[in-house]
């Protein structure tokens, strides 16, 4: 048999065995036979490189390393879903659907809302064309090489027609536990939850990392089902299942909203026992021929809704209360809890905000407390349960001295502060902030690494970060570090020198200066030196900067230590200029105007449009009022456009907006 024919035969066999094992949970060959065939294919692909393919079963172990992810525009918008939080919301959704369709009852499909990363697969001529993240709904990232490491995903299907399916990539609970066990052995930070772990795995530039993390996927929407003659969502799901896609068997057709409510009640109880995390239930009208009648809002379809589970509350023991010091010196009491799983994450710590919060909750160390995740993200202590006290509990006492440097604390309003400018904890938090994504974005210099390098005396202040390369050989020999990881960190530090000025201003950690204010200052002054020369009155005259912010900015740039810091950074080669586009009042029609965006733009995402408008001198607002100068609208614009027309506010479609935005470039 010719090598080309044998390669084709081997690929088809291995794909079939993958389907049997990962979709049907059965196998017609032994592991040894599978490995033998795989090794033969690897050997042939190495001997005949011209026969290699990115979609070969050999690529499922990863190995491709990307420098970045390509942007891909979705053929059809990848919309999010409106949320329902209780029975009344669901009944209101049902009422609106029935009124729009003029019927007494609607058949719905109820499905698990898996807590993972939304993904779209596009096929052409029977082969996977690309896998793309949701992104902003219009443009996503091409992550094909990472997605094909998920062995249940078919790289080839039995139809040559254009085909698109959407679903959720997720990390099973067992995979997260196994991965964290491995990370713990190498002193790496543990991954907080399955959702973040899945998203982080898919966005790894090295596909071997994604392969190692054992992700899975469920597919829940056949995008162009109507082109194949399907009229029911339930039938479309059965078809994609026949093509080899893994669909969730927990779904159920419900005859009316009462059956939906019963389904939700059932899976609220079953939720902890599933082998993957869910954060709700998705309800879709089954009859797809009604979708156009029901229509869409600017962001969501009106034929589907996502019921969100209420924040999961669990009980655990308050083992202790410890104190941390922030970069401003603020002292925060934190609960040390008996480890407990909440909404997919193992929780051991939660903030207690301040002394007054603890007193108001009447907490004692040793209490049984109720915790939950605020917005399913941040763990918080809801209350204590005095009725469960044993008599061994201890009263809480606020500390008088900094837990790190020992200096006396100062109470300002409800907060306590360490005022020692040389406190190590404040330095560490300041370094973490400087390296963070929204500031200088130094990849690899996270919280734990900063603390470790600080304690080992490799870094001690911001300028020392840029001399870290001198300790390269010492760092390589530390636990958890390797040549490649250290080199990547040093490269990331070097790249950060080229950041635009607003990143540096925010990274300096000036009190009252957030990310938005940093951008305003960078665009106004262009060069850091000019900002340093600004007096209080001048700063106060800048829109959106009040007296407290103006005072803080002025004081920061007139402090000798801060001036020395900036001079040191300049000597180290950090960029001190704003690199974005700058408008003047005579060059941009948007300068000084208040603008509201609504609907979906085809040429860019909401964030890009906002940045463009801000670079042209506009203030982008979230709601329409009489003070709004322009409302820019895209596809499926909603109530904001209606309100603009009602108030007589000038509106611009996407074409008109771009024409005005680019006018001063001509």
């Amino acid at each position: 048999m010719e090598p080309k024919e044998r390669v084709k035969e081997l690929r088809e066999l291995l794909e079939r065995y993958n389907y049997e094992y990962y979709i049907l949970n059965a196998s017609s060959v032994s592991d040894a036979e599978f490995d033998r065939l795989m090794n033969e294919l690897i050997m042939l692909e190495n001997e005949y490189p011209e026969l290699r393919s990115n979609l070969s079963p050999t690529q499922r172990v990863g190995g491709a390393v990307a420098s970045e992810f390509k942007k891909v525009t979705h053929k059809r918008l990848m919309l999010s879903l409106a949320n329902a939080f209780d029975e009344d919301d669901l009944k209101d959704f049902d009422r609106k659907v029935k009124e729009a369709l003029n019927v007494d009852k609607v058949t719905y499909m109820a499905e698990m809302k898996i807590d993972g990363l939304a993904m779209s697969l596009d096929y052409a001529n029977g082969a996977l064309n690309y896998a793309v993240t949701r992104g902003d709904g219009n443009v996503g990232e091409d992550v094909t090489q990472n997605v094909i490491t998920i062995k249940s995903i078919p790289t080839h299907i039995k139809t040559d027609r254009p085909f698109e399916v959407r679903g959720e990539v997720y990390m099973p609970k067992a995979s997260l536990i196994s991965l964290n066990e491995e990370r713990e052995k190498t002193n790496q930070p543990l991954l907080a939850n399955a959702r973040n772990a899945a998203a982080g795995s898919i966005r790894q530039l090295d596909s071997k990392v994604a392969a190692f993390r054992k992700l899975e996927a469920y597919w829940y929407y056949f995008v162009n089902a109507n082109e194949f003659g399907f009229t029911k969502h339930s039938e479309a799901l059965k078809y994609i299942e026949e093509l080899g896609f893994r669909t969730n068997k927990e779904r159920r057709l419900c005859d009316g909203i009462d059956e939906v409510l019963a389904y939700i009640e059932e899976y609220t109880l079953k939720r902890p026992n599933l082998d993957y995390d869910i954060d709700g239930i998705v309800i879709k009208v089954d009859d797809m021929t009604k979708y156009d009648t029901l229509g869409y809002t600017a962001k969501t379809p009106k034929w589907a809704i996502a019921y969100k589970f209420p924040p999961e509350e669990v009980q655990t023991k308050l083992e202790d209360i410890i104190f941390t010091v922030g970069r401003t010196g603020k002292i925060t009491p934190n609960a040390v809890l008996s480890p407990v799983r909440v909404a997919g994450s193992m929780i051991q710590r939660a903030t207690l905000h301040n002394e007054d919060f603890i007193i108001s909750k009447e907490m004692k160390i040793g209490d049984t407390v109720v915790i939950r995740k605020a917005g399913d993200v941040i763990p918080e202590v809801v209350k204590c349960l005095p009725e469960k006290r044993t008599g061994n509990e201890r009263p809480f006492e606020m500390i008088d001295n900094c837990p790190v440097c020992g200096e006396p604390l100062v109470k300002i309003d409800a907060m306590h502060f360490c005022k020692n400018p040389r406190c190590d904890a404040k330095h560490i938090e300041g370094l973490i902030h400087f390296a963070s994504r929204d500031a200088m974005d130094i990849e690899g210099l996270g919280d734990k690494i900063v603390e470790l390098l600080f304690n080992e005396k490799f870094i001690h202040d911001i300028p020392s970060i840029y001399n870290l390369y001198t300790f390269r050989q010492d760092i390589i020999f530390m636990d958890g570090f390797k040549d490649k990881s250290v080199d990547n960190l040093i490269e990331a530090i070097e790249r950060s020198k080229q950041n635009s000025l607003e990143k540096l201003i925010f990274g300096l950690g000036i009190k009252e200066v957030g990310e938005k204010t940093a951008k305003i200052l960078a665009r106004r002054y262009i060069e850091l030196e000019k900002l340093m020369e600004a007096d209080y009155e001048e700063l106060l005259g800048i829109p959106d900067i009040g007296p407290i912010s103006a005072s803080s900015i002025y004081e920061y740039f007139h402090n000798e230590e801060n001036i020395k810091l900036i001079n040191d950074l300049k000597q180290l080669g950090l960029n001190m200029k704003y690199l974005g586009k700058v408008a003047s009042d005579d060059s941009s029609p948007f300068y000084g105007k208040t603008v509201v965006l609504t609907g979906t733009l085809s040429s860019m995402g909401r964030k890009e449009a906002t940045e463009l408008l801000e670079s042209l001198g506009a203030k982008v607002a979230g709601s329409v009022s009489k003070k709004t100068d322009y409302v820019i609208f895209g596809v499926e614009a909603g109530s904001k456009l209606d309100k603009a027309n009602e108030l007589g506010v000038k509106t611009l479609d996407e074409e008109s907006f771009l024409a005005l935005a680019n006018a001063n470039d001509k």
Side-chain angles (χ1 to χ4, degrees):
M1 185 181 293
E2 290 293 318
K4 184 176 181 180
E5 293 174 2
R6 181 55 178 165
V7 165
K8 182 174 183 293
E9 182 181 52
L10 287 169
R11 286 174 181 166
E12 289 175 352
L13 281 170
L14 290 167
E15 287 290 355
R16 190 178 87 201
Y17 298 148
N18 268 330
Y19 172 74
E20 290 174 352
Y21 187 83
Y22 292 101
I23 304 296
L24 303 181
N25 294 317
S27 182
S28 57
V29 295
S30 65
D31 289 349
E33 175 64 8
F34 184 92
D35 291 342
R36 186 188 70 77
L37 295 172
M38 179 67 79
N39 288 333
E40 183 184 351
L41 179 58
I42 291 171
M43 182 187 70
L44 285 169
E45 289 181 346
N46 287 337
E47 190 174 349
Y48 302 97
E50 69 274 12
L51 299 180
R52 288 176 182 164
S53 166
N54 288 338
L55 300 182
S56 171
T58 60
Q59 299 305 303
R60 293 206 184 258
V61 296
V65 179
S67 58
E68 60 181 7
F69 296 114
K70 288 191 305 180
K71 302 292 185 183
V72 176
T73 301
H74 293 292
K75 292 177 180 176
R76 299 165 184 83
L77 288 175
M78 201 165 175
L79 300 174
S80 54
L81 297 178
N83 290 326
F85 297 98
D86 54 33
E87 184 176 321
D88 289 342
D89 288 345
L90 289 170
K91 287 186 173 179
D92 187 51
F93 165 73
D94 178 57
R95 177 185 58 77
K96 290 176 180 176
V97 170
K98 288 188 294 189
E99 286 177 357
L101 299 179
N102 194 25
V103 296
D104 295 327
K105 187 180 278 190
V106 177
T107 299
Y108 296 106
M109 175 64 81
E111 305 168 65
M112 301 290 98
K113 186 176 182 299
I114 296 185
D115 208 8
L117 180 69
M119 191 69 59
S120 176
L121 303 181
D122 183 89
Y123 291 78
N125 300 314
L128 179 63
N129 190 17
Y130 51 72
V132 187
T133 61
R134 182 200 301 277
D136 64 5
N138 181 43
V139 177
E141 292 181 315
D142 183 342
V143 289
T144 309
Q145 287 306 122
N146 286 343
V147 167
I148 64 170
T149 66
I150 303 171
K151 296 179 181 178
S152 66
I153 294 176
T155 55
H156 296 81
I157 56 175
K158 294 178 181 177
T159 176
D160 289 336
R161 300 167 66 181
F163 182 95
E164 184 179 358
V165 65
R166 291 174 180 173
E168 201 85 3
V169 171
Y170 68 93
M171 180 172 283
K173 291 177 181 176
S175 295
L176 179 64
I177 292 169
S178 174
L179 181 58
N180 272 338
E181 286 174 352
E182 290 296 321
R183 293 175 72 86
E184 194 167 24
K185 290 176 186 175
T186 55
N187 295 317
Q188 295 181 73
L190 301 187
L191 299 171
N193 55 58
R195 180 182 187 178
N196 291 350
S201 302
I202 286 296
R203 298 202 79 258
Q204 292 288 329
L205 293 174
D206 185 348
S207 61
K208 279 186 179 177
V209 177
F212 173 76
R213 293 187 176 182
K214 297 177 182 176
L215 302 176
E216 257 306 345
Y218 277 124
W219 305 96
Y220 53 67
Y221 185 45
F222 181 8
V223 179
N224 55 322
N226 63 319
E227 295 172 9
F228 284 68
F230 292 105
T231 60
K232 300 289 175 63
H233 173 59
S234 53
E235 294 170 355
L237 287 178
K238 287 178 184 176
Y239 177 69
I240 66 172
E241 202 172 69
E242 291 168 6
L243 287 179
F245 293 91
R246 191 166 172 263
T247 63
N248 196 308
K249 304 294 187 182
E250 306 293 338
R251 66 182 183 268
R252 185 179 301 166
L253 271 178
C254 299
D255 186 22
I257 198 66
D258 288 338
E259 288 193 11
V260 169
L261 295 172
Y263 177 88
I264 289 172
E265 186 176 352
E266 177 184 339
Y267 277 90
T268 299
L269 298 175
K270 287 183 176 180
R271 179 187 182 190
N273 300 319
L274 297 171
D275 63 3
Y276 46 84
D277 287 327
I278 62 172
D279 59 359
I281 302 292
V282 174
I283 300 100
K284 298 174 187 167
V285 173
D286 189 47
D287 188 346
M288 294 188 293
T289 65
K290 307 300 184 187
Y291 288 2
D292 286 342
T293 302
L294 290 166
Y296 303 79
T297 68
K299 294 182 179 179
T300 62
K302 294 182 181 179
W303 41 264
I305 197 165
Y307 169 77
K308 299 279 283 185
F309 289 124
E312 182 185 0
E313 294 189 349
V314 299
Q315 295 181 18
T316 188
K317 186 177 180 181
L318 177 60
E319 300 280 3
D320 200 358
I321 296 176
I322 61 172
F323 300 88
T324 54
V325 186
R327 63 186 174 87
T328 62
K330 186 175 78 172
I331 307 297
T332 303
N334 296 275
V336 178
L337 306 163
S338 295
V340 63
R341 191 175 179 85
V342 186
S345 302
M346 190 61 70
I347 303 300
Q348 293 179 270
R349 299 282 176 91
T351 179
L352 294 174
H353 305 291
N354 54 53
E355 179 185 21
D356 293 354
F357 177 85
I358 299 170
I359 292 171
S360 70
K361 301 287 185 185
E362 299 180 347
M363 285 183 205
K364 291 186 176 183
I365 297 170
D367 268 344
T368 297
V369 294
V370 175
I371 65 168
R372 69 182 178 202
K373 277 191 179 179
D376 259 359
V377 178
I378 303 168
E380 64 176 358
V381 178
V382 181
K383 61 182 177 181
C384 66
L385 302 174
E387 66 273 17
K388 293 201 171 189
R389 285 177 179 158
T390 64
N392 295 320
E393 294 77 18
R394 294 181 286 120
F396 163 76
E397 291 183 12
M398 186 63 198
I399 56 175
D400 297 317
N401 299 85
C402 175
V404 176
C405 69
E407 288 292 306
L409 300 180
V410 176
K411 188 171 184 180
I412 302 173
D413 297 326
M415 305 296 184
H416 288 76
F417 291 86
C418 170
K419 290 294 186 178
N420 178 9
R422 292 176 175 77
C423 178
D424 280 355
K426 292 166 72 171
H427 288 318
I428 290 171
E429 290 299 322
L431 292 169
I432 290 170
H433 172 76
F434 183 83
S436 66
R437 179 174 295 179
D438 292 333
M440 295 300 280
D441 193 19
I442 303 176
E443 189 174 352
L445 200 58
D447 301 16
K448 298 291 185 185
I449 300 299
V450 167
E451 189 171 354
L452 178 62
L453 295 175
F454 184 91
N455 290 334
E456 293 293 330
K457 303 192 184 318
F458 292 129
I459 58 175
H460 57 276
D461 59 12
I462 290 172
S464 67
I465 291 174
Y466 293 94
N467 289 316
L468 190 63
Y469 69 91
T470 62
F471 297 103
R472 179 184 180 278
Q473 291 304 120
D474 300 298
I475 298 170
I476 285 171
F477 289 104
M478 293 171 61
D479 287 343
F481 287 94
K482 294 180 180 178
D483 284 30
K484 187 64 176 175
S485 61
V486 175
D487 288 342
N488 287 343
L489 174 57
I490 291 170
E491 287 173 14
I493 291 170
E494 193 64 25
R495 280 197 306 272
S496 74
K497 291 181 179 180
Q498 306 307 315
N499 285 339
S500 186
L501 177 58
E502 71 274 14
K503 305 280 280 183
L504 175 59
I505 294 173
F506 182 52
L508 291 173
I510 305 167
K511 194 175 179 182
E512 304 297 331
V513 175
E515 192 179 359
K516 182 178 179 182
T517 302
K519 284 183 180 178
I520 291 170
L521 293 170
R523 287 182 180 132
R524 172 66 178 255
Y525 289 99
I526 310 300
E527 297 178 11
L528 187 58
E529 187 175 346
K530 292 179 180 177
L531 169 59
M532 294 173 72
E533 294 170 355
D535 60 29
Y536 171 78
E537 295 298 331
E538 183 181 332
L539 291 165
L540 190 59
I542 300 173
D544 294 326
I545 292 183
I548 297 175
S549 297
S551 177
S552 179
I553 296 164
Y554 178 81
E555 288 174 7
Y556 182 90
F557 288 116
H558 286 76
N559 175 285
E560 287 187 12
E561 286 189 13
N562 296 334
I563 293 171
K564 181 181 183 304
L565 165 63
I566 290 164
N567 287 333
D568 288 345
L569 294 177
K570 190 174 183 179
Q571 289 296 317
L572 286 163
L574 272 72
N575 172 59
M576 299 280 163
K577 293 184 178 181
Y578 176 61
L579 303 179
K581 190 174 181 180
V582 182
S584 61
D585 54 3
D586 60 351
S587 68
S588 167
F590 293 108
Y591 190 88
K593 306 296 185 183
T594 299
V595 181
V596 173
L597 291 161
T598 184
T600 303
L601 302 179
S602 62
S603 60
M604 67 184 77
R606 181 68 59 90
K607 185 176 181 182
E608 291 172 286
T610 299
E611 289 178 351
L612 173 59
L613 283 163
E614 288 178 345
S615 73
L616 295 170
K619 177 181 178 180
V620 180
S623 58
V624 181
S625 71
K626 290 181 179 179
K627 294 183 179 180
T628 305
D629 294 295
Y630 293 107
V631 169
I632 296 168
F633 65 92
V635 179
E636 297 166 359
S639 59
K640 290 178 184 176
L641 182 58
D642 295 337
K643 189 168 183 181
N645 290 328
E646 183 185 320
L647 295 175
V649 173
K650 187 169 184 179
T651 61
L652 298 171
D653 61 17
E654 184 172 0
E655 186 178 352
S656 303
F657 159 50
L658 292 176
L660 276 177
N662 296 323
N664 60 310
D665 290 335
K666 295 178 180 177

